[in-house]
Amino acid sequence: MDARQTIISGKAVLGIELGSTRIKAVLIDQQNKPIAQGSHEWENQLVDGIWTYSIDAVWAGLKDCYADLRKDVAAKYGCEIETLASLGISAMMHGYMAFDKDGKILAPFRTWRNTNTGAAAAKLSELFNYNIPLRWSISHLYQSILDGAEHVKDIDYLTTLAGYVHWQISGRRVLGVGDVSGMLPVDPKTGTYDAAMVSKFDELVAPKGYGWKLLDIMPESLKAGENAGFLTEEGAALLDESGHLKAGIPLCPPEGDAGTGMVATNAVKQRTGNVSAGTSSFSMIVLEKELSRPYEIIDLVTTPDGSLVAMVHCNNCTSDMNGWIGLFREYQELLGVPVDMKVVYTKLFEAADRADKDCGGLISYNYVSGEPIMGCTEGRPVFLRSATDRFNLGNFMRSVLYATVGALKSGNDVLFKKEGVKVDRITGHGGLFKTTNVGQRVLAAALNSPISVMETAGEGGAWGIALLAAYAVSKDGLSLPDWLDKEVFAGNAGVSVDPDPEDVAGFDRYFEGYKAAIPVVKAAVEYKA
């Protein structure tokens, strides 16, 4: 069946992911290959000290993204999308979306980027004897309680962005276990919220006299492959203003971008891992066993099918690098030279590749927002050098590239060097890997591990959630890892780059200076508003 017939007959599968800078829709065929896509650019806003997106921006962006998908389908195949085999929603995981009994949002949506929950995260980590990150939903909830926020008493439902969109288009208050594990720790044995921690939290807040207990307001946890409801008529209208899309399409559990990244890189088996490197960066290593103890810089979450994962999450990755490269674009424009950004990125990355392995002593920090993993509660990008450092374009660009994975290395050093975690394959995906193989080599040097990149990695999380939607209706009794191996990747592990010993030694020298000069960044927070 060709792509056009697949769409007309309703056999195509759609995945939509709301990322940090782009909402993307990917339509796939029965062989799980992308056949059309749409997108919408958006940006978070800093409002009253909170990184947020408005509810209006969510729905305007989804409508525009879907309209762009329809345009692509019309241009390529001359037809309309009337129905689908299945549909999945994914979004930035973590954060805080609290609603009252009428479905009205009670406080501005707080994204993963917010770091104002230090007191709550510290208290909960101590109470649970488990690392509770600043960005997790439970941290935001308890911080609101500590702050005496008036809205807390009126909470009827607490969810993530993916859970919110799914609820609105299906009526179901559910969430995939991978995204659930970014709200509150999950017990891998049960696949749902850790019962002991739920009980401790309820006991902790009982004196406040709220009319709810924690499980009353949390979404139901579902594993990959389970049915998560069907698209309602109201939901179809929310996505497709043209009215062509029909209700009744089965939905897979909504997931976070970490889970869809694991699926898109075939990294859901034990001893596999992936690194997502875009606006933020995070590594996900699927564990064979639990860690020996909690670590503040390592989060324990799960795959979409419930396996335990060690996650190292960094708030910053390519944004500062893109800002610097934008300066070079402006310089070209001043000279009247035509600008091709792909060429600009390629030339600058190649200059970095020829530079000194330790960046000649130059150090760059890409902290546009706070970077809790390095102890920085607020963001201040900093470029640092001494008068005797080797200051040239290549070393500058290499330091900017190293900065994209500097904080990530800190967490992974704990996993590999302290915990002795073993991994057979790490796959990279995201913007850092789009330009030649330089980003791949930088990550290999930082983690001292082979890094694979697949041709499909550029499809990203929207493809990942489309695959989860396809799995929900075509799993044929296979586990998620086996289904991915058999039906999607068929042995394709991508192109691998081994760490170069000189690169590893150079990154290690750079990283010693990087760690030592962190007080400079903290001083910048204090003195630069």
Side-chain angles (χ1 to χ4, degrees), residues 466-510:
L467 293 178
L468 286 172
Y471 175 67
V473 294
S474 64
K475 53 186 176 290
D476 294 328
L478 295 173
S479 68
L480 179 61
D482 288 346
W483 183 83
L484 290 172
D485 278 344
K486 179 183 175 185
E487 301 293 338
V488 181
F489 295 96
N492 176 23
V495 177
S496 181
V497 168
D498 291 327
D500 179 281
E502 291 185 11
D503 286 346
V504 173
F507 201 112
D508 284 346
R509 290 194 299 274
Y510 168 89

Side-chain angles (χ1 to χ4, degrees), residues 177 180 185-196 221-223 226 302 305-306:
V177 64
V180 160
V186 163
D187 181 347
K189 297 182 182 68
T190 64
T192 190
Y193 306 102
D194 186 288
S221 176
L222 297 178
K223 289 186 178 181
E226 295 189 75
T302 77
D305 60 342

Side-chain angles (χ1 to χ4, degrees), residues 51-334:
W51 290 105
T52 187
Y53 302 82
S54 71
I55 292 292
D56 288 344
V58 170
W59 293 110
L62 280 166
K63 285 181 171 68
D64 186 57
C65 177
Y66 190 85
D68 195 44
L69 173 69
R70 286 182 57 240
K71 233 182 265 181
D72 193 40
V73 167
K76 286 178 177 174
Y77 310 112
C79 63
E80 270 290 353
I81 306 168
E82 301 284 349
T83 189
L84 299 160
S86 56
L87 168 65
I89 299 292
S90 174
M92 302 165 269
M93 68 187 301
H94 319 301
Y96 183 79
M97 298 191 84
F99 300 88
D100 66 15
K101 60 182 175 54
D102 297 319
K104 179 185 175 185
I105 195 163
L106 292 166
F109 166 39
R110 301 176 198 172
T111 76
W112 55 270
R113 202 170 197 175
N114 290 287
T115 55
N116 61 320
T117 57
K123 172 65 177 176
L124 294 175
S125 295
E126 180 184 10
L127 179 68
F128 297 156
N129 190 31
Y130 198 97
N131 178 43
I132 304 298
L134 301 178
R135 65 189 181 280
W136 280 16
S137 306
I138 196 70
S139 295
H140 284 287
L141 174 61
Y142 190 51
Q143 189 65 51
S144 295
I145 293 170
L146 292 178
D147 294 342
E150 184 67 22
H151 76 265
V152 176
K153 67 178 179 8
D154 297 319
I155 295 176
D156 183 68
Y157 187 39
L158 177 66
T159 190
T160 65
L161 180 55
Y164 165 67
V165 173
H166 182 96
W167 171 42
Q168 294 299 297
I169 67 173
S170 72
R172 292 283 303 277
R173 300 195 341 178
V174 300
L175 195 59
V177 64
D179 211 3
V180 160
S181 67
M183 296 190 74
L184 179 74
V186 163
D187 181 347
K189 297 182 182 68
T190 64
T192 190
Y193 306 102
D194 186 288
M197 295 184 196
V198 169
S199 178
K200 286 180 179 180
F201 185 86
D202 283 338
E203 187 177 338
L204 176 68
V205 304
K208 298 290 185 180
Y210 299 127
W212 50 260
K213 289 195 171 181
L214 191 56
L215 292 187
D216 296 335
I217 62 173
M218 299 285 271
E220 177 189 354
S221 176
L222 297 178
K223 289 186 178 181
E226 295 189 75
N227 179 270
F230 298 88
L231 184 68
T232 62
E233 289 186 9
E234 296 82 3
L238 283 171
L239 294 177
D240 180 16
E241 287 185 302
S242 75
H244 285 277
L245 189 64
K246 294 181 172 53
I249 298 165
L251 298 172
C252 72
E255 266 295 350
D257 52 359
T260 58
M262 285 187 277
V263 171
T265 53
N266 196 20
V268 295
K269 276 185 178 175
Q270 291 180 356
R271 292 176 66 106
T272 65
N274 81 92
V275 170
S276 173
T279 305
S280 64
S281 70
F282 51 83
S283 63
M284 312 286 290
I285 306 297
V286 188
L287 300 174
E288 297 178 278
K289 59 181 181 179
E290 293 192 17
L291 302 180
S292 64
R293 65 178 182 84
Y295 292 92
E296 188 175 348
I297 60 176
I298 296 173
D299 312 338
L300 292 176
V301 292
T302 77
T303 62
D305 60 342
S307 293
L308 194 64
V309 176
M311 180 181 193
V312 177
H313 184 282
C314 308
N315 281 356
N316 303 279
C317 187
T318 58
S319 294
D320 186 55
M321 178 188 76
N322 293 337
W324 283 114
I325 290 175
L327 289 181
F328 292 101
R329 181 201 67 224
E330 287 186 41
Y331 175 66
Q332 277 195 268
E333 291 170 344
L334 283 174

Side-chain angles (χ1 to χ4, degrees), residues 75 97 235 372 409-410:
M97 298 191 84
K409 175 178 172 60
S410 183

